[in-house]
Amino acid sequence: MFTANTTLMLVATFLPLLGALVLLLVPKDQRRVFEIGSLLVMIVSFLMSAVFWFGYDRASDAVQWAQAWNWIPSIGVKFSVGMDGISLLLWLLTTFIGPIAIACSFSAITERHKEYYIWMLVLQTAMLGVFITQDMFLFYLFWEVMLVPMYFLIAIWGGPQKLYAAIKLFLYTLAGGVLMLVAILAIYFLQHKTTGVYDFSLASFHAMAPVIAQQTKTYQILLALAFFIGFAIKVPMFPFHTWLPDAHVQAPTAGSVILAAILLKMGTYGFVRFLLPILPDATKMLLKPFLILSLIGIIYGALVAMIQKDMKKLVAYSSVSHLGICMLGLFALNPYGIKGGMFQMINHGISTSGLFLAVGIVYERRHTRMIADFGGLSKSMPVYATIFMIMTMSSLGLPLLNGFIGEGVVLMGAFQAFPWAAVVATLGIILGAAYLLWMYQRVMFGPITAVNEKMEDLNLREVLYFAPLVVTAFWIGMYPKPIMDVMDAPVRKLVEQITPGYHAAQSLAAQQAVAAKLGMQGMVAPAHHEEAAPAGHEAAPAGHEAPVQEAAAPETHGHGGGH
């Protein structure tokens, strides 16, 4: 039985696919029909999805608007959909970016318009499907289907080495998907062995966590590695990142925008949705290597970005660095870290999309992306220079813009769990500011050549598709509370799945810290205040309950401020 909300969610998800089917009937010489038609479909899908932002119950950690229908009952597959706060934010980000990706294509795509816009619409539905599905089989289906339109978008409308980049993207992502499928099937058959039931539902896989924890360490580690590699390729984490710079550089502007804003987030989403809640013990066993790979990605991505001569390649390597920061937050395994990592996923989608759009603007006018070919553009393109500056500052984490909040919360979580990792990550953020500011300075200031002096500033269409990104960057930077509120309950639930009793231990530690302070009031010798604390609990500064928690909570492998 369809409810009104579920129906609206499905319509918003599958409307782009329906639009693609309609465009198949239009003669291929009707360029404006494809451009305006696909843009309208994306806008309508976004407006429908916006309803869920206002209707979401922020106090609940349950999957909302959930519905399931038997699809292949013989193997336990259901067409099961629904969203919690984590999937809602990424689903909304996808519908938000969709119209922008279409609008930036009008002048960039000069051939085979019909096929291009149809593939864009099919890709949109595949990405949206990933975030609403509550069935592992259905998730895998959307995950793999999304590869096909992305392959063709790069292979047909990409740069000089487009075929190489498209095949590399396809093979890397397909290999990761196969490993993920192996892990899914392993849990699926273990579930049947344990319960006698075949069930692909996400809830049943989460319920298998205690059973998996009773298996051998080798079994758990192999499962975790299969999931990890599958999602790490998509993120991409070091050393699985090598497909990304090629794909970004060769993809059309809209392809780069979608890659940066949405496709990479599917990897981080996979970690949050599957690896951490289903295999928490195995994740803790492998945590040190996971953390080290995240930190290498942060520093390596920043250093390689600094030496790039191509603007698009510089922004591509910046994604490797920035997503390393997201992964560091997730692997902190505490509320600050996970919330910061997820928040930074949204921020990266906004700021890096803006940077790729900015690079696409000058490429359309000059057909070059080489930094050395530019200089002094702020004189001939002042509006462009202003917007480019906002997106650059957003990406490097300037206060009052969205990147600052995300990086700050990630570092708080990382410092609670692993202070040394937070220090290393800070170096990556400093390097990020260096390469972004250096690129901006070389492109926008200095002497201007005759060719660059004749470059036209942004037209109305270009200003209009930049405007939502600029507004959102300032809104999140100055008032992040609404997005944080959406994350609160699902992050709390996830932390409990990773470390059962975490919040009870934190609450007890806080109460003991308050009691200790109250007991110290009236003491004559401040130098001996620490002796007034209860046995085994040192008096700590406010907000630092680490030693108390260690006595009150089970071992958490160095997370949540426990060490």
Side-chain angles (χ1 to χ4, degrees):
M1 184 69 182
F2 286 88
T3 65
N5 285 331
T6 308
T7 303
L8 187 63
M9 178 173 65
L10 290 172
V11 170
T13 298
F14 288 96
L15 184 63
L17 179 61
L18 179 61
L21 295 174
V22 171
L23 290 182
L24 277 173
L25 307 176
V26 178
K28 62 181 180 181
D29 59 347
Q30 300 295 314
R31 173 177 177 172
R32 297 302 291 172
V33 173
F34 298 119
E35 292 174 347
I36 302 302
S38 55
L39 179 61
L40 288 175
V41 167
M42 291 288 202
I43 291 173
V44 171
S45 176
F46 169 66
L47 293 175
M48 287 180 174
S49 69
V51 173
F52 293 86
W53 170 259
F54 299 102
Y56 181 75
D57 180 5
R58 286 153 174 77
S60 171
D61 62 11
V63 175
Q64 299 181 30
W65 313 296
Q67 291 286 319
W69 302 271
N70 283 327
W71 184 23
I72 314 175
S74 58
I75 59 172
V77 176
K78 294 182 178 179
F79 191 91
S80 178
V81 294
M83 291 186 288
D84 66 358
I86 296 170
S87 43
L88 172 65
L89 288 172
L90 291 168
W91 190 69
L92 288 171
L93 178 66
T94 308
T95 62
F96 175 74
I97 293 294
I100 297 170
I102 293 290
C104 78
S105 303
F106 287 4
S107 56
I109 302 303
T110 56
E111 59 180 3
R112 305 183 74 167
H113 302 93
K114 178 175 183 175
E115 295 95 326
Y116 177 83
Y117 290 104
I118 286 173
W119 280 127
M120 287 286 285
L121 291 169
V122 172
L123 176 61
Q124 183 77 349
T125 287
M127 294 187 300
L128 290 171
V130 165
F131 299 125
I132 66 165
T133 180
Q134 296 296 314
D135 183 276
M136 295 294 285
F137 186 91
L138 195 59
F139 172 85
Y140 183 75
L141 184 68
F142 280 120
W143 178 280
E144 293 298 315
V145 165
M146 171 214 63
L147 262 180
V148 178
M150 198 68 228
Y151 171 84
F152 284 113
L153 286 170
I154 296 175
I156 297 175
W157 295 276
Q161 295 179 302
K162 56 192 176 186
L163 207 55
Y164 169 76
I167 292 172
K168 197 173 182 180
L169 160 71
F170 195 92
L171 291 178
Y172 266 71
T173 312
L174 184 65
V178 170
L179 282 173
M180 181 178 70
L181 178 62
V182 169
I184 290 171
L185 291 177
I187 298 172
Y188 174 74
F189 287 116
L190 177 64
Q191 177 193 61
H192 180 258
K193 182 180 176 182
T194 306
T195 65
V197 175
Y198 286 118
D199 189 356
F200 271 108
S201 72
L202 181 58
S204 71
F205 271 59
H206 282 183
M208 284 296 294
V211 177
I212 295 170
Q214 295 170 3
Q215 308 303 309
T216 64
K217 285 188 176 182
T218 303
Y219 179 89
Q220 294 181 60
I221 287 173
L222 288 175
L223 268 185
L225 286 175
F227 272 127
F228 173 81
I229 295 172
F231 298 136
I233 288 173
K234 187 75 98 180
V235 169
M237 290 179 67
F238 179 90
F240 309 102
H241 67 284
T242 56
W243 64 268
L244 180 70
D246 292 315
H248 268 314
V249 170
Q250 300 303 320
T253 299
S256 293
V257 167
I258 290 173
L259 262 175
I262 314 300
L263 261 67
L264 308 187
K265 307 309 176 299
M266 291 181 182
T268 50
Y269 178 74
F271 281 108
V272 170
R273 186 60 77 224
F274 306 115
L275 178 63
L276 298 184
I278 296 174
L279 292 154
D281 290 350
T283 301
K284 291 170 184 174
M285 293 178 209
L286 295 166
L287 199 59
K288 282 285 173 65
F290 290 175
L291 275 171
I292 289 169
L293 289 180
S294 300
L295 293 171
I296 291 174
I298 294 170
I299 303 301
Y300 167 85
L303 289 174
V304 177
M306 290 187 78
I307 63 170
Q308 295 307 314
K309 299 177 180 178
D310 183 323
M311 278 193 282
K312 204 171 188 184
K313 213 164 196 176
L314 185 150
V315 178
Y317 275 107
S318 80
S319 288
V320 176
S321 183
H322 287 138
L323 285 159
I325 293 173
C326 293
M327 295 312 305
L328 174 64
L330 297 184
F331 289 137
L333 304 188
N334 57 36
Y336 278 135
I338 293 174
K339 192 179 287 189
M342 288 169 44
F343 199 84
Q344 197 60 5
M345 285 157 55
I346 306 296
N347 293 334
H348 177 266
I350 293 163
S351 57
T352 308
S353 294
L355 290 175
F356 277 121
L357 289 171
V359 174
I361 292 288
V362 292
Y363 182 74
E364 285 178 31
R365 287 158 169 74
R366 284 284 319 273
H367 300 289
T368 177
R369 294 185 298 261
M370 295 297 132
I371 295 172
D373 291 335
F374 298 101
L377 287 189
S378 60
K379 299 171 186 173
S380 57
M381 305 175 71
V383 177
Y384 171 75
T386 303
I387 291 176
F388 198 173
M389 180 186 69
I390 294 169
M391 291 293 102
T392 301
M393 297 302 171
S394 164
S395 185
L396 65 83
L398 187 76
L400 296 184
L401 288 166
N402 55 332
F404 174 73
I405 303 295
E407 288 176 353
V409 179
V410 166
L411 291 177
M412 289 168 67
F415 194 84
Q416 278 190 347
F418 304 99
W420 61 272
V423 172
V424 176
T426 304
L427 176 60
I429 293 171
I430 294 168
L431 291 173
Y435 64 72
L436 286 167
L437 290 173
W438 193 31
M439 174 188 70
Y440 188 82
Q441 184 270 331
R442 286 182 289 171
V443 171
M444 292 299 164
F445 301 113
I448 185 168
T449 63
V451 179
N452 291 329
E453 204 166 14
K454 295 175 183 176
M455 287 179 65
E456 296 179 3
D457 208 349
L458 300 186
N459 58 39
L460 179 61
R461 174 180 61 87
E462 291 163 343
V463 171
L464 287 176
Y465 67 65
F466 269 115
L469 296 173
V470 172
V471 170
T472 307
F474 277 110
W475 168 55
I476 294 176
M478 292 190 280
Y479 189 55
K481 184 178 182 297
I483 292 179
M484 290 291 189
D485 287 349
V486 170
M487 292 182 197
D488 259 340
V491 168
R492 185 180 180 88
K493 178 181 178 181
L494 177 60
V495 172
E496 280 294 319
Q497 288 175 305
I498 297 168
T499 308
Y502 177 92
H503 290 98
Q506 290 284 298
S507 176
L508 177 62
Q511 292 171 15
Q512 290 175 331
V514 170
K517 289 175 184 177
L518 291 173
M520 289 189 290
Q521 287 181 359
M523 296 291 290
V524 176
H528 301 289
H529 278 184
E530 289 184 5
E531 297 173 11
H537 301 295
E538 297 177 5
H544 185 79
E545 299 103 20
V548 183
Q549 183 201 338
E550 201 165 78
E555 174 64 46
T556 59
H557 299 269
H559 314 306
H563 296 269

